[in-house]
Amino acid sequence: MSNIIVLLGPPGAGKGTQADKLAARLDIPKIATGDVLRAALRDGTPRGKEAKAYMDRGDLVPDSVIFGILRDVMGSPATSKGAILDGAVRTVPQAKELGIMLAELGKGVDSVLLLDISDDKLTERLSGRTVCEKCQTPYMGREPETKCEKCGSKLIRRKDDEPEAIRNRLKVYRAQTAPVIDWYGENGMKVHKVDADGPVDEVTRRAVEALEK
Ligand SMILES: [Zn+2]
């Protein structure tokens, strides 16, 4: 039986971490759009080359190319049991595109999981995040300019995690992704809403429980 799960949630809700945890618990791979794009670029696949041509021109890689890359992955034996899709759907057109692509493979979205968390909590989380400027290890609750425990380089706050940028990212999320939740609802798909505020393992437990319902 296939088990294709679309993971939704605002920036900072812990999608990447929860996708990893859920993949391990449910024994299906995590398919993060950013990862498969990087892999296609690295391996120089035909679609990877197509994506690179856009990037070399300084353009965004269009959805049609991204979904072509995702289609290759979703049609491969690696995802025969299903997958947790992280980052595939941020807009309603992408939700539609994903549905069409999976239907062509004789598959479909089985569950939609929303990691739900308030803007205040997100701002607190994101602004508490720093990353090593050299090895990119992420840290929570550590000040910029302190030292990385792994390599001793200095920690920085990414521009994306500055308060003004956070407000902007949340605004984009509310405008683009919130309608996706309504769209799935209108198309007969139950969206499992999970409270994403709490310890990582507790959130995973809630998510598994929601999916089993
Ligand atoms: Zn480091």
Side-chain angles (χ1 to χ4, degrees), residues 39-57:
L41 291 168
R42 184 193 60 220
D43 299 343
T45 65
R47 294 199 204 274
K49 285 186 180 136
E50 219 180 316
K52 188 172 182 300
Y54 284 99
M55 293 167 80
D56 287 347
R57 291 198 296 269

Side-chain angles (χ1 to χ4, degrees), residues 16-26 30 84 200-201 204 208:
T17 306
Q18 289 302 330
D20 283 330
K21 294 265 176 190
L22 288 169
R25 280 287 292 274
L26 304 171
K30 159 185 154 178
I84 298 190
V200 169
D201 289 329
T204 307
V208 170

Side-chain angles (χ1 to χ4, degrees), residues 131-137 139 147-155:
V131 61
C132 171
E133 67 172 354
K134 195 165 177 210
C135 73
Q136 304 296 316
T137 301
Y139 290 89
K147 276 191 170 27
C148 172
E149 282 159 29
K150 284 197 181 155
C151 75
S153 296
K154 124 185 135 175
L155 305 186

